[in-house]
Structure formats: structure tokens, C-alpha cells
Amino acid sequence: MKKKINIHQLFWYFILFSILGLVIETLYGYFTMGIWESRKGLIWGPFCPVYGVGAIFLIFFLSHVDQKNYFKLFFYGALTGAVVEYVLSYGLEAIYGSRFWDYSYTNIHINGRICVIYSLFWGILAIGLMKWIKPLMDKLIDRINLKIKASTEIGIFLFLVVDALVTIWSIHIYETRAVKQYYKEEMQYSNISWVRKIEEEYFTNERMQKTFPNLRTKDREGNQLFVRDLIKK
């Protein structure tokens, strides 16, 4: 009988696969474009949360699939990955007001949010995840000392909450400043001195562009543009 997945496992799946996903994305960017660039989803820490969320859903749904049937793992993995990626695309855009990815450049896509090639990658990832990566992750999670596991989980959780809030804040400032600059308008920062200092001196265009190089937004005519291009113009 299979053991049920508990909340602690889900938490560590999210953390570990967010980190692993960042490594995969970074290497993919290097081998396909020949450049090293940030693929992070949060302003602090080595996290690409889309992979963490995707891994949780893959593990949850694929744990009920015959693990010896590679075709089923591939098919349901591709389907699950595509659905999760599509929903997350809308969700992240609603939260941040910006797009983190756009597949409009590919031949077959849906609203630029998902495409065939990346859905196939999800299928391949699903096989590797369920056959080899998850078992290794489970062993690693089991080795975490129970006495420090709870406090560690609480600490990391609180850090991620703050990280997400600061990320939303920073992207809002970055995006607003880019649009204002594009239309040659003056940027209005907070009236609170320490908040203004962070917005001006920490959320700089250089820092934000380095952290989120492929961030997209809309101009006032509704056109999807890279934020970095708005700044250049």
C-alpha cells in the first residue's frame, strides 16, 4: 500500500524542485541561447516557483498512474504540466501585472501561455521525476532531523512569504517606472523616506533587469513588450 503524501513532503517538494527547476531553466537558457541569465521567479533566493508548483501537481496526479508505463507517465505528465503552466500564467500575471514567459514565438501555442514543445518537455520531466528524482528527494527529506524540521519549515515559509511580497512590490515599481520612462513622464515614489529609498536605490532598473531579464508588460496601447525594451526606448 502506497504511503499518503503529507504536508511536510509537499513543502519540501516545492522548495527542492523550485531550486532544481531554476538550475534546469538556467542550463537550458545557456545551451539554447549561449548566455547565462537569471531565470528566478522571486527577487531573493534560488527559486523558480513554477517548477515547485508543477512538481507538486505532477507527483499528486502521477502517483496514481502505473509507474512502469512510460507512455502514461509521459502523456499525463505533459497534460498536467500544460494545464498547470497555463493556469499559473494567468495567476502570476494577475498578481504581478506582468508576464514571466510568452511562447508566441513558437509554431503551436495557446495565447502564448503554453506551447507544444514545452508541454512535451513536461512529459519527459514527468518520467524522470517519478522514476528517479522523486525517490532521491524522498530519501533526502527523510534524512532531515525531525527536531529541526518544523522550525526550519516555519523559517523558510516566512522567508518565502516576505520574498513574494517584496517581489510583487519590486516588479510593480520596475514596471511602472519603465512605462513612465517610455512615455517621458515623471515617476512618483512613496512619500515615506525609507520606502522611497528602497524603491529608488534598491529596485533599480539595473538590478531588476538582471534579476528578471525576460519580464514582459503591456504599454498603454495593449502591446506586449519586454520591460527592458521600454527602458531602452
Side-chain angles (χ1 to χ4, degrees), residues 23-36:
V23 173
I24 292 173
E25 277 285 327
T26 303
L27 292 176
Y28 178 79
Y30 177 75
F31 287 116
T32 55
M33 297 185 294
I35 58 174
W36 294 104

Side-chain angles (χ1 to χ4, degrees), residues 45-159:
F47 305 111
C48 189
V50 172
Y51 280 88
V53 175
I56 288 175
F57 277 96
L58 286 175
I59 291 170
F60 180 80
F61 287 113
L62 297 183
S63 61
H64 304 289
V65 175
D66 182 1
Q67 302 299 298
K68 296 180 181 179
N69 191 321
Y70 286 87
F71 175 77
K72 284 187 176 180
L73 285 175
F74 175 84
F75 177 78
Y76 289 114
L79 182 62
T80 301
V83 171
V84 169
E85 191 170 23
Y86 194 86
V87 173
L88 282 177
S89 176
Y90 270 111
L92 290 172
E93 188 171 357
I95 294 171
Y96 294 102
S98 303
R99 276 200 185 193
F100 282 79
W101 65 85
D102 191 330
Y103 301 135
S104 298
Y105 62 90
T106 62
N107 293 326
I108 305 174
H109 63 86
I110 299 178
N111 299 328
R113 299 183 185 278
I114 59 173
C115 66
V116 171
I117 186 65
Y118 277 90
S119 295
L120 295 178
F121 286 162
W122 277 109
I124 296 171
L125 181 62
I127 295 174
L129 173 68
M130 299 306 293
K131 297 297 293 184
W132 300 290
I133 302 175
K134 179 181 177 296
L136 289 175
M137 291 294 187
D138 286 338
K139 290 180 181 179
L140 181 61
I141 293 170
D142 289 339
R143 288 180 180 176
I144 300 175
N145 191 308
L146 291 175
K147 292 182 179 179
I148 65 172
K149 183 179 286 188
S151 57
T152 302
E153 289 174 356
I154 292 172
I156 294 176
F157 175 76
L158 292 176
F159 170 77

Side-chain angles (χ1 to χ4, degrees), residues 40-45 163 166-167 170 202-203 207-208 211-212:
K40 299 200 302 179
L42 297 173
I43 193 168
W44 297 325
D163 199 358
V166 174
T167 300
S170 66
Y202 188 76
F203 301 150
R207 181 189 298 275
M208 297 302 296
T211 306
F212 305 109

Side-chain angles (χ1 to χ4, degrees), residues 171-189 205 217-220 227 229-233:
I171 288 178
H172 170 70
I173 294 298
Y174 179 45
E175 180 185 16
T176 303
R177 183 167 55 219
V179 173
K180 291 280 188 181
Q181 185 172 324
Y182 179 72
Y183 289 102
K184 295 180 172 57
E185 297 174 355
E186 185 180 355
M187 177 66 181
Q188 298 295 322
Y189 294 100
N205 289 342
T217 190
K218 291 181 180 179
D219 63 17
R220 291 173 184 170
V227 177
D229 290 338
L230 284 175
I231 292 172
K232 289 179 181 178
K233 292 178 181 179

